[in-house]
Amino acid sequence: MSHALIELKGITRSYTVGDGQLTVLKGISLSIEEGEFVAIMGPSGSGKSTLMQILGLLDRPSTGQYFLLGHDVSGLSDDEGAALRSKTIGFIFQMFNLLARTSALDNVALPMIYSGAPNRDMRAKELLQDVGLGDRLDHAPNQLSGGQQQRVAIARALVNRPRILFADEPTGNLASAQADEILAQLELLNRSGITVIMVTHEPEIAAHARRVIRIKDGVVVSDERTERSRGDAGGGTAVAPPRQKASASPKFKLETPDFSFGEFKEYGASATRAMAANKVRSALSMLGILIGVAAVIAMLAIGRGAQKAIEARISSLGSNLVTLSPGATTRGGVRGEAGSGSRFTLGDIKAVAKANPHIVRVDGNVQGTVQVVYKDKNTSTSLTGALPVYGPMRNSEAYFGRFFTEDENLRLARVVLLGQTVVNNLFGKENPVGKEVKINHIGFKVIGILPIKGSSTFRDQDDVVIIPLYTAMKRVLGKLYLNSIPFECDSPETIQQAMEDVGVLMRHRHHLPQYKEDDFSMRNMADVQAALAGTTQTFTLLLGMVAAISLLVGGIGIMNIMLVSVSERTREIGLRKAVGAARRAILAQFLIESAVLSTLGGLIGIVLGITISLTLSTFAGWAAIVTPEAVILAFVFSATVGIVFGFWPARKASLLSPIEALRYE
Ligand code: ADP
Ligand code: MG
């Protein structure tokens, strides 16, 4: 091979401590060949770990050059370092650094997630068997002894078939029997072709290596080969399988693999683990999103219900309807020409009908308050005299009995239709149709009951009686003129033109000179409808905004929890990076975690919101309509909140330097 595996030239490393600089490595130059077993020795604090972190690409030298496989790696980016670590380097730490609450199997398989290697579980199982832990696959670290944990760590270090194995005081936390086992493992691995670089401060441990480099005060003080022969290694319990010798033409791949399904599964699992480990905290942080989403759904449902109710009421009054009334419109609060009220005659009805071809129906109404008596009961109600078109124009066809006819109108027949309130007041449960009532002392026959319209805020629309127009004018109210002429157009688009034509016609019929204002006014039901719809829309928007604010608050809650989670799991993040996780992978992990948190909150919130809506409409009688759009909106919103508010903490986690994260207390 033309290059040494590792070549350091004048490596220094200084730390900024307080105001000063602490130079730990002061120009280290050395080279290590493939297949060596090197022990780096030195007193505590001499910079062994610092050197090893630089060798393992976890840290960067302050000055100097580092060639790995002949390539200068001193200036690699974070992610390039991660990719190279993932393919080439395995780590064994003094503190084991296994993921808590995670099975031995998953711990071993972890680096393969980041390298994108296939058959993870099979390989991890194989390696655990090699290190003698075939029967401990499902044990979490806290269910294993120190020596067993370190063997899991060895298996993890080997999982991506590294060419170099770094071990920082691998036996420092172990009893001597366990330490011997670990050392035997390392020797076996070295014999199978892996370069082993081990840091230790104990000469007995270093004696297992074939080369010992001593450093002191940041410089190499000695570098010698030991007399250890290849044949006399102590018998280990496990037998590492022979490894293919690393190829002579080294592959130097730095690109990170694409996202795989396995990665997502792992992040989902780690999110679930993190949430399960902090159930109460997770539940509380979900609460914000949950309430927000439930509020959005319930508010939108109520708003939508109110809108529908208003629409239904308005359409029950008739559509495309314009009411022509005498008297000028109020303009700017001043009523033009007070007292000069115009009068509508029966002739005006016929004229209006001809004013525009799009006018399809014309009615003429008179109104008055009357006393209606049935047997010993009486009630005061509002009477309307109308033409038979009233029924179809106002959606007021008799729902029981019949409406009156044109013939009855012409004959001044004494027939009446009663609104539901009048029926209730006079008849109770009795059927009124066919009975005789007295209206202002005149006998009338009840021929039908009007459909229920419900009460608006202003008046009870069912507290009415309707009789033929002529009968009302001549027999009951004694009126010569009409109170209003409602007319109906064939479509909403033709209303405007029809109103203009009727206006011109009425001015002409009333002989109004140019300078005079109209002595009549027209009210378009479509305008009223639009105004009301606008009101409910504003109302819905307002409710929606209140709900959105609560979602925002929920999002901030999630962010808060994620920040706590990141700092709590700093060491875990450091470890993941050390075994090859790119920034992107850490970012994805925490984003998925916060998205899972908020989406779960969102889902529960949707269920709660729908329940609230149904409860309100069932028990409180509020119209509440849950639309699929509202549900989708709430869901998308909650997931978005998770991702948006999770981004900052996730990014913070992804930017941690692996070694600082690993050292985090
Ligand atoms: P050891 O040889 O015991 O492994 P280290 O390489 O861990 O020693 O540390 C060498 C020296 O560098 C120590 O004196 C330590 O205090 C210092 N040091 C290590 N890491 C940092 C850091 N992040 N900031 C400041 N000083 C550090
Ligand atoms: Mg150390």
Side-chain angles (χ1 to χ4, degrees):
M1 206 183 291
S2 51
H3 306 289
L5 181 68
I6 286 173
E7 180 139 28
L8 299 185
K9 288 186 181 165
I11 292 288
T12 70
R13 178 70 169 99
S14 343
Y15 294 107
T16 310
V17 180
D19 293 334
Q21 288 274 320
L22 173 67
T23 304
V24 177
L25 302 180
K26 298 167 183 163
I28 303 256
S29 300
L30 54 85
S31 95
I32 297 171
E33 298 295 331
E34 179 127 39
E36 285 197 83
F37 188 161
V38 181
I40 297 174
M41 282 199 68
S44 173
S46 55
K48 305 182 297 289
S49 295
T50 305
L51 176 60
M52 209 194 74
Q53 284 149 13
I54 290 173
L55 286 172
L57 302 172
L58 289 175
D59 196 6
R60 258 168 260 168
S62 305
T63 64
Q65 278 181 304
Y66 175 11
F67 294 92
L68 180 62
L69 296 161
H71 298 260
D72 188 352
V73 292
S74 329
L76 286 188
S77 77
D78 245 30
D79 281 359
E80 287 168 334
L84 196 54
R85 273 200 300 281
S86 163
K87 295 253 188 270
T88 322
I89 295 170
F91 280 104
I92 303 166
F93 303 93
Q94 179 175 2
M95 308 294 293
F96 319 140
N97 282 327
L98 300 176
L99 291 186
R101 294 181 293 275
T102 306
S103 70
L105 190 76
D106 288 343
N107 262 299
V108 173
L110 184 70
M112 294 180 84
I113 288 166
Y114 300 120
S115 67
N119 301 328
R120 283 188 277 139
D121 284 0
M122 231 170 72
R123 169 112 182 111
K125 203 166 152 185
E126 214 178 275
L127 280 165
L128 279 167
Q129 276 160 359
D130 286 352
V131 297
L133 290 174
D135 53 349
R136 295 284 190 277
L137 301 182
D138 294 325
H139 286 230
N142 60 357
Q143 298 164 330
L144 295 169
S145 76
Q148 286 171 327
Q149 288 186 56
Q150 194 61 304
R151 279 189 273 158
V152 173
I154 291 178
R156 181 182 60 195
L158 295 175
V159 79
N160 276 329
R161 299 189 164 82
R163 297 171 69 164
I164 316 167
L165 196 60
F166 289 100
D168 190 353
E169 313 243 13
T171 57
N173 278 8
L174 298 178
S176 65
Q178 291 179 322
D180 288 345
E181 256 177 55
I182 299 298
L183 284 166
Q185 292 275 355
L186 291 180
E187 278 171 46
L188 268 173
L189 290 166
N190 176 242
R191 245 177 286 150
S192 75
I194 298 177
T195 310
V196 178
I197 299 172
M198 175 176 72
V199 161
T200 182
H201 61 267
E202 294 173 68
E204 312 88 79
I205 306 285
H208 288 257
R210 281 188 258 135
R211 175 180 171 192
V212 177
I213 299 172
R214 278 172 221 275
I215 57 174
K216 201 178 170 196
D217 297 329
V219 291
V220 176
V221 290
S222 79
D223 183 349
E224 54 205 29
R225 315 248 154 205
T226 60
E227 284 313 306
R228 196 171 176 80
S229 76
R230 285 167 188 243
D232 66 341
T237 50
V239 178
R243 235 152 282 275
Q244 291 148 358
K245 192 128 168 82
S247 66
S249 60
K251 272 199 197 118
F252 210 75
K253 273 180 84 178
L254 293 184
E255 72 270 26
T256 44
D258 289 335
F259 269 123
S260 62
F261 176 67
E263 238 173 301
F264 273 105
K265 224 175 88 186
E266 156 65 17
Y267 301 154
S270 101
T272 320
R273 268 198 305 273
M275 281 163 63
N278 301 290
K279 286 190 194 66
V280 174
R281 199 173 76 186
S282 306
L284 286 177
S285 62
M286 271 193 306
L287 207 59
I289 292 286
L290 191 153
I291 292 172
V293 166
V296 166
I297 297 227
M299 295 301 176
L300 289 181
I302 290 167
R304 182 98 189 101
Q307 201 171 334
K308 274 270 175 243
I310 287 173
E311 275 169 19
R313 174 149 307 155
I314 287 175
S315 82
S316 83
L317 299 176
S319 48
N320 305 332
L321 217 59
V322 180
T323 305
L324 173 64
S325 317
T329 339
T330 47
R331 279 214 187 112
V334 183
R335 207 173 170 93
E337 304 273 324
S340 74
S342 58
R343 290 164 161 176
F344 293 157
T345 62
L346 293 173
D348 286 327
I349 298 178
K350 292 203 177 68
V352 167
K354 287 185 199 129
N356 180 296
H358 293 291
I359 295 176
V360 287
R361 281 193 275 242
V362 186
D363 193 6
N365 292 156
V366 289
Q367 259 102 27
T369 304
V370 293
Q371 198 73 20
V372 185
V373 179
Y374 175 67
K375 290 185 179 163
D376 59 337
K377 295 205 182 101
N378 78 87
T379 181
S380 172
T381 187
S382 119
L383 174 139
T384 297
L387 294 175
V389 288
Y390 184 94
M393 268 174 82
R394 310 288 189 119
N395 291 325
S396 287
E397 304 273 23
Y399 94 96
F400 196 74
R402 63 175 180 87
F403 217 84
F404 48 76
T405 62
E406 188 51 47
D407 182 53
E408 283 170 320
N409 182 39
L410 293 174
R411 287 194 286 111
L412 311 187
R414 287 172 291 147
V415 289
V416 63
L417 287 104
L418 306 181
Q420 190 61 49
T421 304
V422 179
V423 173
N424 292 345
N425 287 346
L426 296 182
F427 291 90
K429 297 242 179 292
E430 207 179 324
N431 176 8
V433 175
K435 304 278 160 45
E436 178 104 351
V437 293
K438 286 205 161 26
I439 299 177
N440 287 359
H441 307 297
I442 305 160
F444 274 78
K445 188 179 160 199
V446 179
I447 57 167
I449 299 173
L450 295 166
I452 294 171
K453 302 252 163 161
S455 54
S456 71
T457 30
F458 314 108
R459 60 192 182 91
D460 180 358
Q461 297 184 76
D462 296 318
D463 192 6
V464 291
V465 298
I466 293 180
I467 63 174
L469 177 64
Y470 293 180
T471 315
M473 290 171 84
K474 297 193 177 130
R475 287 187 190 250
V476 182
L477 301 175
K479 285 191 176 179
L480 293 172
Y481 302 102
L482 299 168
N483 289 109
S484 63
I485 300 180
F487 61 89
E488 184 186 336
C489 300
D490 56 4
S491 78
E493 291 77 43
T494 56
I495 292 177
Q496 205 49 46
Q497 186 58 48
M499 282 170 75
E500 278 171 28
D501 292 348
V502 169
V504 170
L505 172 84
M506 293 316 290
R507 288 186 70 87
H508 177 72
R509 283 177 73 86
H510 291 175
H511 309 291
L512 288 180
Q514 282 251 293
Y515 61 88
K516 283 211 168 174
E517 302 250 318
D518 291 348
D519 60 356
F520 54 86
S521 63
M522 277 181 271
R523 199 159 53 104
N524 176 358
M525 283 310 281
D527 290 347
V528 178
Q529 193 164 347
L532 278 173
T535 313
T536 52
Q537 241 163 34
T538 315
F539 173 69
T540 308
L541 201 73
L542 227 92
L543 291 180
M545 264 163 65
V546 170
I549 287 172
S550 67
L551 263 182
L552 190 77
V553 173
I556 291 170
I558 293 233
M559 180 161 69
N560 198 5
I561 288 306
M562 290 310 297
L563 281 171
V564 172
S565 181
V566 165
S567 67
E568 235 177 32
R569 286 153 67 196
T570 303
R571 285 174 62 92
E572 175 194 324
I573 295 165
L575 173 75
R576 285 175 184 274
K577 290 193 127 186
V579 301
R583 272 183 190 174
R584 191 187 62 160
I586 300 293
L587 189 72
Q589 181 190 340
F590 281 88
L591 273 185
I592 287 174
E593 190 173 321
S594 71
V596 164
L597 208 61
S598 66
T599 309
L600 203 64
L603 285 176
I604 302 174
I606 286 172
V607 173
L608 185 68
I610 292 175
T611 312
I612 290 174
S613 307
L614 291 181
T615 310
L616 281 179
S617 59
T618 311
F619 294 106
W622 290 21
I625 299 166
V626 179
T627 56
E629 295 89 53
V631 173
I632 292 167
L633 181 86
F635 183 76
V636 170
F637 214 88
S638 62
T640 312
V641 160
I643 289 169
V644 168
F645 285 94
F647 188 79
W648 183 42
R651 195 179 132 74
K652 204 178 143 191
S654 77
L655 290 180
L656 287 173
S657 113
I659 197 61
E660 272 164 34
L662 269 175
R663 287 191 171 192
Y664 184 83
E665 296 294 313

